[in-house]
Amino acid sequence: MKISAPLLLGFNGGYVDTAGFLALQGLFTAHVTGNFVTFGAAMVEGTSGAFAKLLALPVFCVTIVLARFVAVRLGASGPRTLKTLLTIKVLLLGVAAAFALAWGPFFDGGSWRAILTGMTLVCAMAIQNGAHRVHLPKAPPSTLMTGTTTQVMLDLADLLSGVASPQQRADIRGRLRRMVPNVVAFAAGCGVAALIFIGFGLRAFLLPPLVALATVIAIHFDADPEIA
């Protein structure tokens, strides 16, 4: 299986979300709407990090708006703009890793150090989400697998039931070839992040900027013709 930019994005999406959740008292850094659930749990249980969970969504939204302004001002081709945005993401992930190593472990998710580290990760993943949606619109999402998994299961059901026509079956197989690897990459990112965090603690944050850099390199040397 070819290691493409969407697969690397999916791996990093799962990895960063899992590592952030483990290190920052249950903060989702990529799937930010999940923080509404953990915010409610923090309020009921009295655990730390409630403010960070509440702050994540507006930070995510503002970052996407600013990234969009940057992309519009660049006025460049799709691959060039995508590489620029993802390079900014590399830098943000590197800064977040430095913060985590310098200030962690974060026993209090509401401390300013934990919040700054978490929001830096949120900014990085907001850029990934926005850039993916604009410049890789035909690729499955890289940070949220609910919709993709639902479609995969529907397609499998249609194949197994025999209700699909030959043309529909061909379309379904093509869709599965695009979607299943992304789900696998995301799940692998989650699993690898958990294992590395267990073994090496906050040094787990050293991997995401390297994977992000590999994504930029992959786009540079093997530009996807579907990049918008």
Side-chain angles (χ1 to χ4, degrees), residues 2-227:
K2 178 183 176 182
I3 305 300
S4 63
L7 290 182
L8 291 170
L9 290 171
F11 178 89
N12 236 13
Y15 189 103
V16 173
D17 226 15
T18 301
F21 187 90
L22 293 172
L24 297 165
Q25 303 298 319
L27 176 69
F28 286 111
T29 55
H31 174 212
V32 293
T33 53
N35 289 312
F36 288 124
V37 176
T38 54
F39 170 75
M43 295 299 292
V44 171
E45 298 175 356
T47 54
S48 66
F51 178 70
K53 296 173 177 65
L54 196 61
L55 186 61
L57 184 58
V59 169
F60 186 89
C61 293
V62 170
T63 302
I64 289 179
V65 171
L66 293 176
R68 185 63 166 168
F69 286 163
V70 169
V72 170
R73 291 296 291 254
L74 284 174
S77 64
R80 181 179 174 186
T81 301
L82 179 58
K83 286 187 291 184
T84 299
L85 292 173
L86 294 184
T87 299
I88 296 173
K89 189 190 82 168
V90 172
L91 297 175
L92 288 170
L93 289 175
V95 170
F99 287 164
L101 292 173
W103 295 335
F106 302 103
F107 299 111
D108 179 6
S111 68
W112 70 267
R113 290 180 174 85
I115 291 174
L116 183 56
T117 303
M119 293 310 107
T120 304
L121 290 169
V122 168
C123 289
M125 300 315 291
I127 290 174
Q128 172 170 320
N129 273 277
H132 190 140
R133 187 172 183 85
V134 172
H135 298 286
L136 293 165
K138 296 182 180 180
S142 60
T143 60
L144 181 61
M145 293 296 117
T146 305
T148 304
T149 303
T150 301
Q151 187 61 57
V152 167
M153 293 302 106
L154 289 171
D155 285 342
L156 288 175
D158 287 346
L159 285 178
L160 293 173
S161 66
V163 299
S165 67
Q167 181 58 52
Q168 289 173 329
R169 294 174 71 87
D171 292 341
I172 287 171
R173 291 192 181 95
R175 195 158 52 237
L176 289 173
R177 282 193 294 270
R178 292 195 306 273
M179 290 186 168
V180 171
N182 278 67
V183 175
V184 172
F186 183 89
C190 295
V192 171
L195 292 174
I196 294 181
F197 188 85
I198 290 171
F200 300 96
L202 293 172
R203 282 176 286 180
F205 287 103
L206 293 172
L207 183 59
L210 298 178
V211 176
L213 180 59
T215 308
V216 176
I217 294 171
I219 294 170
H220 180 76
F221 287 102
D222 188 21
D224 190 331
E226 295 184 347
I227 294 176

